[in-house]
Amino acid sequence: MSMVPPSLLCLGLCLSQSTWAQKALPGSTVPWKRHVTLLCQGPKRAERYRISRVGSPEPMDKEEQITSRKTNALSIAEMTFEKTGLYHCSYQRGGRWSQFSDPLQLVMTGAYDKPSLSSMAGTVVAPGETVKLQCFSNINYDVFILTKEDGDHVTQNQSSVPQDGGRQTIFLLNPVSSTQAGTYRCYGAFHDNPYVWSQPSDPLQLQVEGTTDSPSITQPRHSTGIGHSTSSLSAPTAWHPSVETQVRLSLAALLLLVMVVLLAEAWCSQGCVSVKSDEPPPQWTDKRQ
């Protein structure tokens, strides 16, 4: 099995306000028994840091959570059920502790079988349409979670409803735009363990028309008249330029005409100067002499 780089979860803090920077590298969803590192960062003058899980009465590791280092990291060797939840951190400066940062959700994935994800309108849609993504499983999950693979961004979290002996949820993307094109997955979870998710569904690649430059192929029209099918197949199709193409061709023709006029004037000017400087003017002679 290939090794996956450890996740790096960053929390930024401010003494008088809540978090000023928070990001997940590569994300806050961690597979079962994988390594993850929580990193708490504050201002340059921070003296100590404290990382704890929201609702925990005591720090998980006092040596790791309160140190003299300006950057404090809490390493979790193996992600398990007990390590999931919401985490926050704070820093000490001048003998005072800051407010806790905004909570960061730490999720473990891979606990249950994966659901399936499908698009009811197909995977190639036009901008402005309403797209319905169906997440279904034979397991009676209480909720389904839809994520988009740009940093494990959770887009929607919805309760499930009965469907064909299992459970399903319909996620709506309305109206769909170019920013919503990408790869989606869905997970299943239960109310009693909201931070423990199933294995991810197979990826679903959603394409929005106009977001990629792809060539188009048009099929020739086939005549149904008797005696004309062969000629219809081999006859070339008439070219009908678009308005934009016509404008570009007109501008190109005008530019070419201007260049021809300028070249003609330049040639005429050089020719006249050459005649005056190299040849004597014509003289009339009297043949009677």
Side-chain angles (χ1 to χ4, degrees):
M1 180 180 296
S2 60
M3 297 298 295
V4 176
S7 301
L8 186 60
L9 310 180
C10 302
L11 299 175
L13 305 172
C14 179
L15 190 60
S16 59
Q17 302 292 333
S18 59
T19 177
W20 53 265
Q22 177 175 324
K23 61 182 179 179
L25 301 174
S28 59
T29 56
V30 186
W32 178 55
K33 287 192 175 182
R34 295 294 175 86
H35 179 269
V36 62
T37 299
L38 304 182
L39 179 64
C40 182
Q41 291 182 324
K44 295 181 179 180
R45 296 182 180 179
E47 301 164 357
R48 295 190 297 178
Y49 293 87
R50 178 169 54 199
I51 301 176
S52 59
R53 191 168 55 175
V54 176
S56 298
E58 294 293 336
M60 294 175 57
D61 189 335
K62 292 185 178 181
E63 274 190 17
E64 284 289 325
Q65 295 195 16
I66 301 179
T67 71
S68 60
R69 292 178 296 171
K70 290 188 177 181
T71 300
N72 182 44
L74 176 63
S75 179
I76 299 176
E78 290 187 352
M79 192 64 189
T80 60
F81 293 86
E82 297 79 13
K83 305 295 176 59
T84 62
L86 298 176
Y87 285 79
H88 55 190
C89 70
S90 61
Y91 64 87
Q92 189 182 49
R93 186 175 64 182
R96 295 178 53 195
W97 283 99
S98 71
Q99 296 179 3
F100 279 111
S101 67
D102 290 340
L104 178 67
Q105 177 178 273
L106 190 61
V107 172
M108 189 195 79
T109 64
Y112 322 110
D113 291 339
K114 65 181 179 181
S116 63
L117 182 64
S118 60
S119 174
M120 303 177 70
T123 58
V124 180
V125 297
E129 289 186 358
T130 298
V131 177
K132 297 180 179 180
L133 302 181
Q134 180 190 41
C135 188
F136 173 82
S137 176
N138 290 322
I139 300 177
N140 293 325
Y141 291 121
D142 296 322
V143 295
F144 288 104
I145 305 96
L146 180 69
T147 65
K148 187 171 182 287
E149 290 189 355
D150 52 1
D152 292 332
H153 176 61
V154 177
T155 60
Q156 296 184 39
N157 187 324
Q158 294 182 181
S159 299
S160 64
V161 295
Q163 176 69 26
D164 297 335
R167 308 285 292 188
Q168 76 160 12
T169 287
I170 302 297
F171 298 104
L172 294 180
L173 304 179
N174 181 31
V176 70
S177 63
S178 59
T179 58
Q180 292 170 305
T183 303
Y184 289 85
R185 296 177 184 267
C186 73
Y187 299 80
F190 297 98
H191 287 315
D192 55 352
N193 286 308
Y195 306 113
V196 178
W197 297 357
S198 69
Q199 296 179 5
S201 67
D202 292 336
L204 184 145
Q205 183 69 35
L206 184 65
Q207 299 181 20
V208 180
E209 294 178 352
T211 57
T212 56
D213 297 330
S214 57
S216 59
I217 300 177
T218 56
Q219 296 293 334
R221 296 182 179 179
H222 298 273
S223 174
T224 56
I226 300 176
H228 297 283
S229 58
T230 303
S231 59
S232 299
L233 289 174
S234 58
T237 304
W239 179 56
H240 300 284
S242 63
V243 176
E244 182 179 359
T245 303
Q246 293 177 8
V247 172
R248 291 181 177 178
L249 291 175
S250 300
L251 291 176
L254 180 61
L255 181 60
L256 181 61
L257 178 61
V258 172
M259 293 178 64
V260 170
V261 172
L262 293 176
L263 290 174
E265 290 181 353
W267 178 82
C268 180
S269 175
Q270 292 178 0
C272 294
V273 172
S274 176
V275 169
K276 290 180 182 180
S277 60
D278 296 337
E279 298 179 6
Q283 298 180 356
W284 292 96
T285 58
D286 191 351
K287 295 183 179 179
R288 295 176 295 178
Q289 298 179 357

